[in-house]
Amino acid sequence: MKKLKGILILLLVALIWGVAFVAQDKAGDVIGAFTFNASRNFLAVAFLGIFLLKRKSHGQLPPASKQLWLGGLWIGLVLFIAESFQQSAIASYPATAAVSGRSGFLASTYVIFVAVMAWIVGRNRNFLTAVAVVLSICGMYFLCLTRGLNEIYFGDILNVASAFFFALHILVIDRYRRLDSLMISCLQFVVAGSLALLCALVFDSLTWANFLESLVPIIYAGVISSGVGYTLQIVGQKYADPASSALVLSLESVFAALAGFILLGEVLTGREFFGGILVFLAVICAQIPDILMVYRNQKNMPR
């Protein structure tokens, strides 16, 4: 029952993150990528700051160490790059593209990048990783090259680059996983938001009317997607094992396509839909070795 509870919570997280692509799409039509990312990250800081203050009032907040500040800096830097690529990608698509669905499926390839990086350093070397890479490449061919190689969307390239940096973001977090998770998360949002703000002042042009028009997507991305989504992810992973967690969270791409269809009327072509299915299968395939490892470990545990 506890595992089921965790899976249901993570399913909600996947839904929240999937719908976030719609919010990013709507905001991308109005304000610059750096302005949007700065706003959402500072909102996430404010949301998580409430929990930090509550912990501080109860004397449960550990002192900030040099390692904590360094970890927050590196994680926030990588997050800033990943978010910049992703939001710039979403904003660059033409109005006729099924932006949410395409972005959701391409973003999910971060799982493939994580598996490949782990394979390179000698962890989880399994033929299924190679199968996942082949499926992913085939899926992206059908999803992105609908009009030939010479007419690929620039946003597709940016989304794949974003997926690479989100994979790197996971690996950097893994390096600092022993630090306080709430504090390190808040720090990463501070760093990512500050860097995005600096870039927004240089590259983005913003009017008060445009900001107000995109306020609802900003609030959703900052409070619901980053703040609530992150918190629920922590709660869910307390009950579900990592392999099951990753498997459920990969449904984010499916929810992104459904949200784009229901809320924005975006429809993937048959070729694009087939490509998205292949990418999704590649994501599942890349996680099978971890799922089998968890199963073997549980089977070998003493009763």
Side-chain angles (χ1 to χ4, degrees), residues 21 24-25 81-93 97-111 113 140 143-144 152-167 252:
F21 283 98
Q24 291 176 250
D25 185 14
I81 298 172
E83 286 183 337
S84 299
F85 274 122
Q86 186 177 80
Q87 189 59 26
S88 297
I90 291 173
S92 71
Y93 282 110
V99 180
S100 300
R102 293 175 73 94
S103 298
F105 282 117
L106 291 175
S108 68
T109 59
Y110 78 89
V111 176
F113 283 117
M140 285 190 286
L143 185 63
C144 304
I152 186 174
Y153 289 133
F154 182 57
D156 294 334
I157 299 174
L158 293 178
N159 262 320
V160 174
S162 170
F164 171 81
F165 279 100
F166 273 119
E252 170 191 0

Side-chain angles (χ1 to χ4, degrees), residues 1 5 18 25 38-39 50 52 61 63 77 86 90 128 139-140 142 150 167 169 174 186 189 193-194 204-205 256:
M1 290 301 296
K5 178 181 178 180
D25 185 14
S39 302
I50 297 173
L52 288 175
L61 200 65
L77 175 62
Q86 186 177 80
I90 291 173
L128 287 173
M140 285 190 286
F142 286 103
N150 295 328
H169 180 249
D174 185 64
C186 195
F189 289 135
S194 299
D204 289 351
S205 58

Side-chain angles (χ1 to χ4, degrees), residues 5 49 53 112 119 261:
K5 178 181 178 180
L53 290 175
I112 314 297
W119 186 89
F261 172 73

